[in-house]
Amino acid sequence: MSESPKKRSVLDEPDSVIDELFKVDDFDVLTKAEACRYLKCGMSTLPKFNLPVIRVGRSVKYLKKDLQEFLLNKREGGPNE
């Protein structure tokens, strides 16, 4: 009886392949404190922005991409208006 071929997992790939598949740089994950530093706001102000979050257990994480999009949407003035 022949053995069935082992199924390959994405985890079997080198890190560079995984990074390319998931575009890791596009999804930098920040803690609440890091998000506050990035937005230059206080810890009590951050929840008022109603940003999308990732919950990992009891901790709350933010995608840097979401924070950048939030800032761009708040932009006013300039030649684009």
Side-chain angles (χ1 to χ4, degrees), residues 6 10 12 17 26 30 41-42 56-57 63 65-68 78-79:
K6 182 182 174 190
V10 72
D12 296 332
V17 173
D26 294 342
L30 305 176
C41 71
V56 181
L63 290 179
K65 181 180 101 159
D66 291 335
L67 303 181
Q68 291 168 334

Side-chain angles (χ1 to χ4, degrees), residues 4 28 59:
S4 60
D28 288 339
S59 66

